[in-house]
Amino acid sequence: MHKILILTASIGSGHIKAAEAIETELRRLLPDAEITTVDFMARRISRIHWFMKEFYLAMLAFVPNLYDVFYKLSGGSSGGTLVQNAFAWIMMPVMKRLVRRYEPDLVLCTHPFPEGAASLLRRRQQESYRLATVMTDYSLHQIWLYPAVDRYYMATEEMRMGMISHGFAVNTLEVPGIPVASVLQEMKDKATVRRALAIPEGQPAVLLMGGGLGLGGIESNLRDLEEIEARLTILVVAGRNQRLMERVQDMADASHHQVLVWGYTDQVHFLMRAADLLITKPGALTISEAFVLGLPMLLHDPIPGPETENAIYATQHGAAVWLHPREDLARSVRKLLDGDSLAAMSRAAVSCARPDAAPSIAEDLKDLLLRRS
């Protein structure tokens, strides 16, 4: 019986969603396998990891470019290796404990922190497990690049070519896209979903999201949308931010729009299907899901670093408009809803979609395991 350990990180929801999508496909392909998914940054796994995550999230509110600082520190060939190795050494003892507990034949990582620790442990202890990494970005960065990784799965051909230029073996590099849940391809038609939400026929629906952490200026966006005279349905996902949810609900009660509010929910795909436009921060998984659903995006406030690159990717491919600081949100939304650009953006989004990424990755992982056997 094969044993598979999937390691993710609860820093935002994208890494977890990618892990869940692949786990679902692996269970379908390998029904007898023992598959365990672990949040590498959870308190029950490591108080040190958990504290590092909580400190980072708390600091992010005061220093929005904190990730950019780390991103740049880990970007140089020498400095990057130094920063990466420091994190890997700190986290290796926890990785060693997990490997001893689960005895995996395969370790799959959807975040660079567990990847680095698994790579270092494999090299230092001559561990025999296969190691694979799903890169949840639309740009290549040193933070993901480690030796002793059997397979890298990435979003674009440009990323693959970049890794080849870094000296990575061609046979370790695959470009399936970023994995999303298979349920996206099974969604009911838009009209049925809108009726279920009691959205009046012909009334535009706008979805506001800020990721699982409820970031991204949702309150200010909601205030800006009040300037639009025509009545909208505004679907708001506040994530795990309970205080934000309460404030948004108060705003909803006073709005002239139809405003529906959710906290952290597993119904995001349902809401995305109902929407005509998504206003969000450019997280890679959110963008990937919108591509599959053909949902046009208005992107804003990227966390400097990978989210900026995600925004560039989506806008360059015609699936999104990037709202820069001091640009008028209400004016941009009004222009999109009144014109005919949403249809073209929807087609562009679908052309970027990789709905079969998760099944493709699972198939390749199965081959890796069988070759090991």
Side-chain angles (χ1 to χ4, degrees):
M1 180 178 66
H2 295 298
K3 294 182 180 180
I4 302 172
L5 179 60
I6 302 175
L7 297 174
T8 186
S10 53
I11 303 176
S13 60
H15 307 289
I16 295 174
K17 284 185 175 182
E20 290 172 345
I22 297 169
E23 179 183 353
T24 297
E25 297 301 326
L26 283 172
R27 291 191 182 280
R28 180 181 61 82
L29 284 176
L30 299 167
D32 296 326
E34 184 179 303
I35 303 174
T36 306
T37 296
V38 172
D39 176 3
F40 199 62
M41 306 304 286
R43 188 171 187 171
R44 67 179 182 83
I45 299 300
S46 167
R47 290 189 177 184
I48 294 175
H49 296 185
W50 175 81
F51 176 78
M52 290 169 63
K53 177 187 74 173
E54 293 299 310
F55 178 76
Y56 164 72
L57 295 177
M59 288 298 294
L60 198 59
F62 302 99
V63 188
N65 68 334
L66 184 64
Y67 193 97
D68 192 37
V69 172
F70 175 73
Y71 197 71
K72 288 176 178 175
L73 279 174
S74 62
S77 57
S78 57
T81 300
L82 181 64
V83 172
Q84 287 176 275
N85 283 340
F87 276 94
W89 275 104
I90 290 170
M91 295 178 172
M92 189 176 71
V94 175
M95 179 61 67
K96 185 175 182 178
R97 189 172 73 241
L98 290 172
V99 168
R100 295 293 174 269
R101 177 178 178 181
Y102 294 107
E103 299 180 337
D105 302 301
L106 168 69
V107 175
L108 173 68
C109 302
T110 65
H111 190 278
F113 285 172
E115 177 201 5
S119 169
L120 183 60
L121 180 64
R122 193 181 185 197
R123 286 176 282 143
R124 299 286 298 184
Q125 306 284 339
Q126 285 82 50
E127 295 288 349
S128 61
Y129 54 77
R130 294 283 193 176
L131 179 58
T133 297
V134 176
M135 303 167 76
T136 51
D137 287 323
Y138 278 96
S139 60
L140 184 62
H141 193 271
Q142 176 70 34
I143 195 173
W144 287 101
L145 307 185
Y146 287 94
V149 176
D150 297 293
R151 190 73 86 246
Y152 279 100
Y153 303 104
M154 63 208 73
T156 70
E157 180 63 24
E158 289 75 17
M159 294 171 69
R160 190 181 80 91
M161 296 305 296
M163 292 192 70
I164 291 172
S165 71
H166 278 78
F168 286 82
V170 173
N171 64 355
T172 67
L173 310 176
E174 298 289 337
V175 190
I178 293 177
V180 299
S182 59
V183 69
L184 288 173
Q185 299 181 74
E186 303 162 6
M187 294 295 298
K188 294 180 179 179
D189 67 275
K190 189 168 185 171
T192 300
V193 175
R194 288 170 65 93
R195 282 195 297 271
L197 291 169
I199 299 173
E201 186 175 349
Q203 183 164 292
V206 176
L207 174 59
L208 293 183
M209 295 198 324
L213 303 173
L215 302 174
I218 287 177
E219 287 178 272
S220 61
N221 290 343
L222 201 52
R223 282 192 293 270
D224 290 341
L225 291 175
E226 283 296 313
E227 299 176 17
I228 297 177
E229 299 80 8
R231 195 164 193 259
L232 306 174
T233 293
I234 305 176
L235 311 169
V236 183
V237 179
R240 292 187 173 90
N241 192 330
Q242 183 61 34
R243 290 180 60 191
L244 171 64
M245 183 176 175
E246 292 169 0
R247 292 195 298 267
V248 169
Q249 189 60 64
D250 290 339
M251 297 173 71
D253 294 339
S255 176
H256 74 280
H257 298 306
Q258 177 190 28
V259 182
L260 307 175
V261 186
W262 287 262
Y264 188 79
T265 175
D266 60 1
Q267 297 299 306
V268 169
H269 301 152
F270 190 74
L271 304 179
M272 292 176 79
R273 187 70 175 124
D276 299 299
L277 177 67
L278 170 62
I279 302 177
T280 187
K281 290 167 52 60
L285 261 291
T286 298
I287 285 176
S288 301
E289 292 170 342
F291 286 162
V292 173
L293 292 172
L295 178 59
M297 291 168 279
L298 183 61
L299 304 174
H300 64 94
D301 294 330
I303 295 175
E307 285 195 354
T308 299
E309 299 296 329
N310 296 340
I312 291 171
Y313 182 87
T315 53
Q316 285 183 341
H317 285 79
V321 171
W322 185 354
L323 189 74
H324 295 278
R326 293 181 295 279
E327 288 190 285
D328 190 324
L329 175 70
R331 182 172 179 270
S332 297
V333 171
R334 195 183 291 115
K335 182 179 179 181
L336 287 170
L337 294 178
D338 291 345
D340 56 3
S341 56
L342 285 184
M345 291 171 67
S346 179
R347 291 191 295 271
V350 171
S351 71
C352 294
R354 302 295 293 271
D356 296 322
S360 176
I361 292 170
E363 289 279 1
D364 193 65
L365 291 173
K366 178 182 176 182
D367 290 342
L368 268 181
L369 280 170
L370 293 178
R371 284 201 295 273
R372 186 179 188 276
S373 301

